[in-house]
Amino acid sequence: MLESLNYTLFYWINATPDSPRWLLALAEFTARDVISIVPLLAIGLWLWGPRHQLSAQRQLVIKLSLAMFVSLALSLALGHFLPHDRPFAGSVGHNFLHHAADSSFPSDHGTVIFTCAIAFLAWHRLWSGAVLMAVGLAIAWSRVFLGVHWPLDMLGALLVGVIGCLSAQILWQAFGTTLYHALQQCYRLCFALPIRRGWVRD
C-alpha cells in the first residue's frame, strides 16, 4: 500500500519533458544549492549576533550539530540496511538531475534541512523554524520533481530529523554545558586574532 502511494505521489509531482524550462531551472537551483543555508546559518549564529543572545545562539548551533550527527548517522544506516532504488534506476518517471544510483531512502538533503527546521522550531523561534520548514518542503518538492527521490524518502527524512533532535536534547542534558564551555574555549583560542580585531564576537 505504501509503495503504491509512493508511486502515485511521484507521478503526480514528477516533471515531464513538457514542463516549463524556468520551473525546471528553479527546481534544479532549489535541489542543488538552497541546502547551503544550513551551514551558513550555523556559522553566522556562532560568529555574530547581539551580545545578549550570543550564548543562546551558540548553544543552538551545538544542539543542531548534535542533531545533525545523529540524523545523518541514522540516514546512513537506513540507506545501508533498507536500500531503495531511486526512481530513475528503475526507469520510473523522468529524471532531470544527474545523480548516482545509490539508495534513495531517506533523502540526505531532506534529512539535513528537516533536522535544521525542527531544531529551530524547538530551540529558536517559531517563525524561523516555520520558514526553514517551508524551505525544506521546497527542497523536498524539487528533488521529487526532478526525479531523484520518491515522496516517502522525504517523509522518512522528516522522521529521521525528529529522532535526531530528540536525541540531541537527551545528549545536551547529559553533557551539554561541559561541551559548550569546551567549544567556547577552543573557539577563543583559534579565533583570538579576529576576536581582538572585532571581526567576530568573542
Side-chain angles (χ1 to χ4, degrees), residues 10-78:
F10 176 80
Y11 280 120
W12 181 56
I13 299 169
N14 185 222
T16 71
D18 295 327
S19 296
R21 296 294 101 185
W22 67 266
L23 189 57
L24 288 168
L26 175 63
E28 184 172 349
F29 170 75
T30 305
R32 285 186 186 276
D33 301 320
V34 174
I35 197 71
S36 301
I37 66 171
V38 175
L40 291 175
L41 269 175
I43 292 168
L45 286 169
W46 186 278
L47 295 179
W48 300 286
R51 194 168 297 278
H52 68 280
Q53 293 181 8
L54 207 54
S55 177
Q57 287 181 190
R58 289 178 176 172
Q59 289 180 32
L60 169 62
V61 171
I62 295 170
K63 289 179 182 178
L64 174 58
S65 300
L66 291 171
M68 205 66 72
F69 176 81
V70 173
S71 293
L72 288 174
L74 180 56
S75 177
L76 182 66
L78 287 170

Side-chain angles (χ1 to χ4, degrees), residues 11 33 47 50 56 79 93 101 105 131 150 163 167 189-191 200:
Y11 280 120
D33 301 320
L47 295 179
F105 182 85
V131 169
W150 300 97
I163 293 170
S167 301
L189 178 65
C190 295
F191 283 75
V200 296

Side-chain angles (χ1 to χ4, degrees), residues 184-193 195:
Q184 277 279 83
Q185 289 179 346
C186 182
Y187 163 71
R188 285 169 177 159
L189 178 65
C190 295
F191 283 75
L193 179 60
I195 290 170

Side-chain angles (χ1 to χ4, degrees), residues 54-124:
L54 207 54
S55 177
Q57 287 181 190
R58 289 178 176 172
Q59 289 180 32
L60 169 62
V61 171
I62 295 170
K63 289 179 182 178
L64 174 58
S65 300
L66 291 171
M68 205 66 72
F69 176 81
V70 173
S71 293
L72 288 174
L74 180 56
S75 177
L76 182 66
L78 287 170
H80 180 75
F81 292 108
L82 298 172
H84 194 287
D85 287 340
R86 293 181 185 274
F88 62 83
S91 300
V92 178
H94 302 278
N95 175 243
F96 297 92
L97 185 67
H98 178 72
H99 201 291
D102 52 359
S103 178
S104 72
F105 182 85
S107 164
D108 289 338
H109 278 72
T111 295
V112 169
I113 192 63
F114 285 132
T115 299
C116 185
I118 295 163
F120 273 70
L121 281 170
W123 302 314
H124 193 243

